[in-house]
Amino acid sequence: MGEWITIALSKGRLLNESIHLLNQIGITHRELLANGRRLIFEIPSEKIRLLLVRAGDVPTYVEYGVADMGISGKNVLLENDPEVFEPLDLKFGFCRIMLAEPAGAEFRSRRNPSKLKIATKYPKITEKYFSRKGIPVEMIKLGGSVELAPMLGLADQIVDLVSTGATLKAHHLKIVDEIAASSARLIVNRASLKLKHHRVFDLIGRIRSVIA
Ligand code: PRP
């Protein structure tokens, strides 16, 4: 069968469907969904090792070759721009990166664009978006719960992930613009692509056949 392959999975919103996808190609571990503290799982019959890491760290594990492959949201890839091969859109974890602001705030934010304060977990995506538009903004980098920022007067607008839209609605925010669409992607380390070519392409093929 060849060498072991390490796959980094994102904890959080992509995890269940990532595990389901691997199940469909015969890669299973009964403790994966046990919600324990374990972060590394080995499946000797498949020579597969699975790592559970923070969603934002998956590209780093794959880029540095600690993991041969990974499942990452496109949102994370757009923000981190890692040097990895991205062979497959896995067709789950659909969401969008949106610019949003408090309902009824249009007049204030558009009258004085040079003063716009933007709260986000995605500073690079945000920076690119506003520089393309030629609008100077003040970036306020947060680690989460970004929707609170306009409510508390910390920012005028936010750039954040929107899936169902329930979080925006609950905080009386409305969409100003769509910045990017996202879904789960399979990513592969560039060296593994060459050095473990047979195993990597076998896995890509098996995954492709179940998402087709
Ligand atoms: C994301 C995002 C929004 C929410 C959107 O947060 O930042 O808060 O999900 O989902 P919805 O449109 O379905 O309501 P996440 O759960 O990743 O956690 P966070 O608070 O760390 O951002």
Side-chain angles (χ1 to χ4, degrees):
M1 185 184 284
E3 297 127 55
W4 279 74
I5 290 282
T6 300
I7 305 175
L9 303 181
S10 305
K11 289 200 272 184
R13 62 174 61 237
L14 297 183
L15 187 59
N16 283 357
E17 280 174 280
S18 300
I19 292 172
H20 177 65
L21 178 70
L22 294 175
N23 281 344
Q24 285 180 292
I25 62 162
I27 296 170
T28 54
H29 191 294
R30 61 194 160 80
E31 283 178 60
L32 256 177
L33 278 174
N35 256 336
R37 306 299 293 174
R38 203 166 149 184
L39 301 173
I40 183 162
F41 302 85
E42 290 193 342
I43 301 138
S45 59
E46 285 277 341
K47 284 201 172 171
I48 296 276
R49 182 181 298 110
L50 302 175
L51 309 177
L52 300 195
V53 304
R54 279 188 57 175
D57 294 337
V58 169
T60 310
Y61 280 78
V62 176
E63 183 171 12
Y64 285 86
V66 176
D68 300 293
M69 309 171 86
I71 295 180
S72 174
K74 184 67 179 176
N75 55 316
V76 173
L77 299 174
L78 289 171
E79 181 64 22
N80 291 280
D81 200 18
E83 283 278 324
V84 295
F85 176 52
E86 189 192 312
L88 289 179
D89 181 340
L90 299 173
K91 310 281 187 202
F92 65 83
F94 293 105
C95 56
R96 288 163 200 285
I97 306 266
M98 298 286 202
L99 175 66
E101 67 184 8
E106 302 93 313
F107 183 64
R108 182 169 59 97
S109 52
R110 287 198 186 112
R111 191 182 45 180
N112 214 351
S114 63
K115 296 270 172 66
L116 271 187
K117 284 199 258 169
I118 315 291
T120 189
K121 282 203 288 192
Y122 299 96
K124 288 193 190 141
I125 293 173
T126 304
E127 177 76 58
K128 234 187 211 167
Y129 171 81
F130 281 103
S131 67
R132 228 174 25 233
K133 293 201 170 276
I135 301 173
V137 291
E138 186 181 335
M139 195 86 65
I140 298 170
K141 169 88 172 73
L142 294 176
S145 305
V146 173
E147 294 85 356
L148 284 177
M151 217 175 181
L152 303 174
L154 183 61
D156 301 301
Q157 297 182 327
I158 63 167
V159 169
D160 201 14
L161 206 98
V162 177
S163 173
T164 61
T167 314
L168 282 190
K169 200 169 168 210
H171 296 88
H172 312 292
L173 295 163
K174 67 169 183 47
I175 290 161
V176 176
D177 200 3
E178 175 180 330
I179 298 178
S182 177
S183 58
R185 304 297 162 99
L186 185 71
I187 55 171
V188 182
N189 171 267
R190 291 196 175 276
S192 304
L193 202 60
K194 296 189 183 110
L195 301 172
K196 300 184 182 177
H197 183 272
H198 181 74
R199 290 230 56 197
V200 165
F201 278 91
D202 171 61
L203 285 164
I204 293 174
R206 284 156 69 189
I207 293 172
R208 182 181 280 124
S209 69
V210 297
I211 57 173

